[in-house]
Amino acid sequence: MRILLTDGSGLTSRQVASQLGNAGHRVEVLSPSALALTRFTRWVHRVHRTPAYGSDPLGWLVAALSVYRAARMDMLFPTQEQVAALSACADLVDAQGVRTAIPPFAALRQVQDKLAACRTLSALGLPQPCSAILPRREDVTAWDRFPVYMKLPIGTAITGVRLVSASSDLPRVVAEANVAGAFEDGGVLAQAPVAGRLAMIQTIFARGELVAFHACLRVREGSGGVASGKLSVRLPAAQEHLAALGRHLGWHGALSADAILTEAGPVYIDLNPRLVEPGNALRSGVDLVTPMLELATGGSPTRQPPARPGVATHQLLLAVLGAAEHAGTRRAVLTELASALSHAASYRRSREELTPLEADPVAALPLLVAASAVLVHPPAWRWFASSSVSNYALTASGWREILERAHAPERA
């Protein structure tokens, strides 16, 4: 198949491209940047330039549909937040004959922003941290229980979530919320921290039926809080919870969640209406990519088997950037690289999931460039961590534009 990825910059896109290429598909990607991460792999045949999605989602959609038609693609594979625009404009997508796998917009709205996700989890009785929606500026400045996570309705872990330790930090939260228009969008979500290990959960649904489930622990943290090391686990309670959530929403396609594993069970801190980094799942025996192809082509996906627990994977690029971020020294970066090359410490019996070099030597280029940059100037990690996110992350203004289009499709 000729498959077009909606994003070329993110970690998920890079992993999906490798899996599709290894399976014999021709992969092309959409990106506002000519230096997208997916350019540095033999599996991606072409990078098509588009407007940045975050602030201009409908402009991105017009460009994406044009590329899809001109390049005669067989499927548009949603690998990042572009799924929101595709879902809101499903009528236009269908009219253009685009094959893809996206949830109904009524379902996506219930998990896309953090306030809606909190309400959805509450309605189903699924566990989440002690939470409060603060609709007014005065509600934020009056908050007196610390520490607390303050979350904007639309944002990433890098830009939309702040751990607040004292009331003196609250004016900054209000200022950021004002800039993002959060109080016009419903307010700010306050959530108490929860002690435990972070689990990343990925699922695929076919019209509300769970067909694939995978969970892994974040065993090491790279730059920006992203997992640089993972370990597959079985979480039957989480599987039941996500199955109930997908069934309630009538979900179609990929749905992911982050949870903190407590003694009482998983507590959900984030929901994402998309696929997230399927590499550990594949190496654990769970294929999250093929069911998406089957959904897009009208097939009935075969239910995936349970994952093998204890499968370790890593993303060395993220680990190197994380060493520069957390330690801020060249020695830390060199130690990380030495451990990986000697398969020592956390790299023992662990496999690379982001940039595997098997039959793909060009995949080493991003790592070589990033390692060289942070060895010369450790704070350079910030550029690598933020530049890719800015290429695909949906902004608050972009989400409002999508909502307006969904409410008035005849004007698109």
Side-chain angles (χ1 to χ4, degrees):
M1 292 178 64
R2 297 171 60 89
I3 300 174
L4 182 64
L5 306 188
T6 60
D7 166 65
S9 302
L11 306 176
T12 299
S13 303
R14 179 61 183 82
Q15 294 188 16
V16 169
S18 288
Q19 187 170 338
L20 290 173
N22 273 297
H25 301 288
R26 178 183 173 90
V27 181
E28 301 183 17
V29 304
L30 301 169
S31 174
S33 171
L35 296 177
L37 180 61
T38 51
R39 177 175 289 279
F40 303 101
T41 170
R42 62 168 292 204
W43 303 121
V44 170
H45 293 263
R46 186 175 178 184
V47 177
H48 300 272
R49 301 291 294 277
T50 63
Y53 171 74
S55 58
D56 187 16
L58 299 187
W60 172 88
L61 180 64
V62 170
L65 296 179
S66 177
V67 170
Y68 184 92
R69 293 192 305 270
R72 299 183 178 180
M73 307 306 292
D74 298 313
M75 178 195 175
L76 183 60
F77 195 120
T79 54
Q80 266 298 345
E81 299 185 16
Q82 296 87 0
V83 67
L86 294 172
S87 177
C89 303
D91 55 339
L92 180 59
V93 172
D94 290 342
Q96 296 289 329
V98 175
R99 297 198 296 184
T100 189
I102 54 176
F105 191 66
L108 182 136
R109 284 197 63 176
Q110 296 182 62
V111 299
Q112 176 66 48
D113 77 72
K114 292 176 174 58
L115 309 186
C118 177
R119 295 187 181 102
T120 299
L121 291 171
S122 296
L124 291 177
L126 298 181
Q128 60 182 317
C130 182
S131 305
I133 293 175
L134 310 179
R136 303 175 303 165
R137 295 167 181 81
E138 311 89 87
D139 298 321
V140 176
T141 56
W143 190 264
D144 60 0
R145 285 166 281 170
F146 303 99
V148 63
Y149 284 101
M150 292 286 183
K151 302 182 177 183
L152 303 182
I154 296 293
T156 68
I158 296 175
T159 62
V161 178
R162 179 175 294 278
L163 179 60
V164 178
S165 301
S167 57
S168 57
D169 296 327
L170 293 174
R172 185 172 181 179
V173 173
V174 172
E176 292 174 347
N178 283 335
V179 170
F183 297 108
E184 288 71 38
D185 294 337
V188 173
L189 177 64
Q191 285 191 327
V194 178
R197 304 186 74 177
L198 177 69
M200 304 167 64
I201 301 164
Q202 299 95 26
T203 62
I204 306 293
F205 287 88
R207 296 173 184 82
E209 179 186 357
L210 181 66
V211 296
F213 174 90
H214 177 69
C216 59
L217 299 177
R218 184 184 68 184
V219 296
R220 295 194 69 203
E221 183 178 327
S223 63
V226 178
S228 63
K230 303 172 189 170
L231 188 71
S232 62
V233 291
R234 288 186 179 173
L235 297 177
Q239 184 166 346
E240 292 180 9
H241 292 159
L242 269 293
L245 175 62
R247 187 166 52 248
H248 169 76
L249 296 172
W251 198 263
H252 192 69
L255 178 64
S256 301
D258 287 340
I260 302 297
L261 303 185
T262 71
E263 293 183 357
V267 174
Y268 300 97
I269 60 171
D270 199 16
L271 297 175
N272 285 296
R274 58 181 178 86
L275 189 62
V276 174
E277 300 172 29
N280 183 270
L282 183 65
R283 287 162 177 78
S284 306
V286 180
D287 184 349
L288 298 170
V289 171
T290 299
M292 292 287 286
L293 305 185
E294 293 170 336
L295 289 175
T297 55
S300 298
T302 303
R303 186 180 297 275
Q304 291 292 305
R308 296 189 303 275
V311 175
T313 59
H314 61 268
Q315 304 186 88
L316 182 55
L317 175 62
L318 277 295
V320 167
L321 295 176
E325 175 185 355
H326 302 310
T329 66
R330 297 177 179 86
R331 180 183 294 275
V333 175
L334 287 171
T335 299
E336 195 69 41
L337 291 168
S339 296
L341 290 172
S342 61
H343 304 284
S346 64
Y347 296 95
R348 188 176 293 113
R349 294 186 294 276
S350 178
R351 294 182 61 190
E352 173 66 50
E353 64 173 281
L354 180 63
T355 55
L357 299 183
E358 299 92 341
D360 191 16
V362 72
L365 285 176
L367 175 60
L368 293 174
V369 171
S372 299
V374 295
L375 283 172
V376 172
H377 184 59
W381 71 267
R382 291 187 178 88
W383 184 87
F384 292 94
S386 62
S387 59
S388 63
V389 173
S390 64
N391 285 335
Y392 62 73
L394 182 62
T395 63
S397 61
W399 178 231
R400 292 185 207 109
E401 184 179 332
I402 289 173
L403 290 172
E404 290 174 5
R405 165 55 174 81
H407 291 152
E410 68 279 0
R411 289 184 291 171

